[in-house]
Amino acid sequence: MNYEAILFDLDGTLLGIDTDDFTQHYIKLLVSYMAPFGYDPHEFVPTMWNGVQAMVQNDGTKTNIDRFYDVFR
């Protein structure tokens, strides 16, 4: 079966979720996935969070993906 999208209920409207627990497990899996592509976990994780913060602070003059990659690259 091929999936076109996977949707997450991160705000707990459908299912109860411990966001801290989810985030810790998700980041571990993401780091494991990205390591073979040459990403150092000690650099990847803080840079990723900086990208997330840039999206949160987005003033609307750029898309969130552009804000993220302005910081992540």
Side-chain angles (χ1 to χ4, degrees), residues 23-43:
T23 302
Q24 286 180 343
H25 285 86
Y26 179 79
I27 297 300
K28 286 180 187 177
L29 291 171
L30 184 59
V31 165
S32 295
Y33 178 81
M34 297 303 288
F37 297 102
Y39 289 94
D40 175 358
H42 300 292
E43 294 178 15

Side-chain angles (χ1 to χ4, degrees), residues 2-69:
N2 293 328
Y3 295 99
E4 290 185 29
I6 297 175
L7 306 175
F8 293 96
D9 173 32
L10 297 179
D11 66 354
T13 51
L14 299 175
L15 299 171
I17 185 170
D18 180 338
T19 53
D20 291 333
D21 187 50
F22 171 83
T23 302
Q24 286 180 343
H25 285 86
Y26 179 79
I27 297 300
K28 286 180 187 177
L29 291 171
L30 184 59
V31 165
S32 295
Y33 178 81
M34 297 303 288
F37 297 102
Y39 289 94
D40 175 358
H42 300 292
E43 294 178 15
F44 176 81
V45 173
T47 304
M48 184 204 63
W49 282 119
N50 288 340
V52 169
Q53 186 65 28
M55 290 189 299
V56 168
Q57 295 174 344
N58 190 359
D59 61 5
T61 57
K62 288 188 173 185
T63 64
N64 277 342
I65 195 166
D66 287 337
R67 287 285 180 204
F68 181 87
Y69 281 119

